[in-house]
Amino acid sequence: MNVDSHRVVVTGLGATTPLGGDVTSTWAAMLAGQSGITAIEEEWAASLPVRIAGRLKVEPSEVLDRVQVRRTDRCEQVALIAARQAWADAGTPDVDPERLAVVIGTGTGGAVTMLAQDDVLEASGVRKVSPHTVPMLMANGPAAMVSIELGARAGAHTPVSACASGAEAIALGLDLIRLGRADVVVAGGAEACVCPLPIAGFAQAKAHSTRNDEPARASRPFDVDRDGFVIGEGAAVVVLERADFAAARGARTHAALVGAAVTSDAYHITAAAAEGQVRAMRRAIAESGLAPQDIALVHAHATSTQIGDLAEAESVSEAIGLHPAVTATKSLTGHLFGAAGAVGALATVLAVRDGIVPATANLERLDPAVKLDVVAGAPRTGAVPAALTNAFGFGGHNVSLVFTR
């Protein structure tokens, strides 16, 4: 395949997360070690074994108009909010619509709508079901809504690869530009499924933390006392541009996206395989033209599960080594599933841009099996010339992205 290796830069950032309604507040909270994980106060959670989550800091209804909120699923809402921010941050590029693409990944799409409308159907019959149900529940809804918002006509794509979806969206955005199919790509991930069925399912699978009495301390990647992840919601979006296109319009750049790799384990539907993760990291680094020793920071997928954290620690050690600083921001945000990889990319870009690495919260006793240099206690300052971020998902999906200054 003849690939034109255009240099690709990040010119826009947007987010709405459990830490803040935008990038500035989310980043400030990360650096301050402020947790976005709280108790679920709604009555529906009272009988569940898990009653904690990373809920949005700012409700979409405070940002979007009333009609838009009524006609869109929460997953679509957070995607729109993050995309608008990223587009504005990029300076609203003047780009031919035929050269503008959107790639928004999600793990579950409009799960809240699907479950709620099924309840309506069962309780009140077909005439009470919303006519907007299908556009609200379909997984491609977030990408479609953003493409309509921006007038993007070079494609509206939706990777659905569980918790790797947001990172895979960014990897696909890189490919679209390098292959000459777009000059600008709005890429990221969105998820909003804090509702009974997903929580019950993860609880039954023993994957979710049950520290209901101490929400802020529940997510503890690499800590010896970790007992599972915490469900979260939100979105993060980046604007990717061909570097010469961005330079011609005088755009500011946050970082460069220099490498990406997508692999699959072909092993197990839920269990992680370090071998597949190693291949993703090695391929992303090789594609970037760097060597493993050039990677100064790894933003770990690190969800706070016993098996998953150890598999990643092993794979990072093998693929890169023990020299890079490692951080795990899910300790603060919770696990945003399809948006997680995009939030990880956001934190990585900001660390590269600002020369500061957020600390991993709740790391009180590092698991002795983890030999990595995990940043804990306080942020670590200093130049971050190159960084890698990981995102792994059920089904054996592995994505690694490499950013440089």
Side-chain angles (χ1 to χ4, degrees):
M1 181 173 60
N2 181 22
V3 177
D4 183 2
S5 56
H6 292 300
R7 180 174 170 81
V8 174
V9 293
V10 180
T11 59
L13 301 171
T16 181
T17 74
L19 301 180
D22 55 24
V23 172
T24 299
S25 56
T26 294
W27 186 230
M30 275 188 185
L31 295 179
Q34 297 172 359
S35 177
I37 299 169
T38 58
I40 301 173
E41 303 291 352
E42 286 90 338
E43 188 175 327
W44 56 257
S47 62
L48 293 176
V50 171
R51 297 182 296 281
I52 54 176
R55 310 297 290 273
L56 289 173
K57 189 74 169 181
V58 177
E59 279 295 309
S61 59
E62 298 179 34
V63 181
L64 303 174
D65 68 61
R66 184 169 54 86
V67 173
Q68 197 164 37
V69 169
R70 189 172 70 249
R71 295 182 177 180
T72 55
D73 181 80
R74 192 173 179 87
C75 184
E76 296 168 341
Q77 294 164 17
V78 294
L80 279 169
I81 291 167
R84 286 178 180 177
Q85 291 176 16
W87 192 246
D89 184 52
T92 59
D94 184 9
V95 57
D96 180 350
E98 299 287 342
R99 303 290 298 165
L100 171 63
V102 170
V103 192
I104 305 292
T106 184
T108 62
V112 171
T113 290
M114 182 167 61
L115 294 170
Q117 290 301 309
D118 183 64
D119 288 344
V120 171
L121 177 63
E122 293 293 328
S124 305
V126 64
R127 293 180 64 83
K128 294 296 184 179
V129 172
S130 169
H132 304 292
T133 296
V134 173
M136 291 170 70
L137 67 81
M138 60 192 193
N140 65 308
M145 288 292 181
V146 173
S147 71
I148 293 167
E149 172 99 359
L150 300 178
R153 297 180 179 177
H157 306 271
T158 306
V160 179
S161 46
C163 306
S165 302
E168 187 167 348
I170 294 171
L172 177 54
L174 176 67
D175 287 346
L176 290 173
I177 294 174
R178 284 181 167 174
L179 289 167
R181 294 175 181 168
D183 297 321
V184 180
V185 179
V186 178
E191 202 76 272
C193 58
V194 179
C195 56
L197 185 59
I199 293 175
F202 284 122
Q204 286 296 96
K206 308 300 182 186
H208 203 297
S209 172
T210 55
R211 291 175 180 262
N212 294 315
D213 295 332
E214 35 185 16
R217 299 182 68 242
S219 182
R220 41 201 318 112
F222 301 122
D223 189 83
V224 71
D225 293 323
R226 63 193 182 279
D227 71 329
F229 62 71
V230 178
I231 190 172
E233 61 180 354
V237 170
V238 300
V239 175
L240 304 175
E241 295 191 43
R242 207 179 71 232
D244 58 344
F245 183 89
R249 68 181 189 86
R252 171 200 58 188
T253 62
H254 297 287
L257 175 56
V258 296
V262 178
T263 69
S264 53
D265 296 339
Y267 165 65
H268 191 276
I269 196 65
T270 56
E275 182 272 338
Q277 298 174 8
V278 168
R279 283 189 290 115
M281 284 181 265
R282 284 179 173 167
R283 288 182 186 180
I285 293 169
E287 183 181 284
S288 71
L290 300 172
Q293 57 265 30
D294 297 321
I295 302 299
L297 168 67
V298 173
H299 181 283
H301 180 67
T303 63
S304 188
T305 63
Q306 285 288 341
I307 296 175
D309 286 8
L310 289 183
E312 186 172 13
E314 176 187 340
S315 64
V316 170
S317 300
E318 182 177 344
I320 301 174
L322 301 180
H323 65 277
V326 175
T327 190
T329 58
K330 289 183 183 68
S331 56
L332 297 169
T333 63
H335 191 0
L336 275 62
F337 302 149
V343 174
L346 175 78
T348 306
V349 167
L350 292 169
V352 168
R353 185 193 72 182
D354 296 348
I356 185 167
V357 178
T360 303
N362 303 318
L363 184 51
E364 297 166 359
R365 291 191 298 156
L366 183 66
D367 189 319
V370 176
K371 307 303 181 184
L372 303 175
D373 177 18
V374 184
V375 179
R380 187 178 299 178
T381 58
V384 182
L388 178 145
T389 183
N390 285 325
F392 310 132
F394 279 3
H397 304 277
N398 309 300
V399 182
S400 296
L401 308 172
V402 178
F403 295 94
T404 61
R405 297 176 69 181

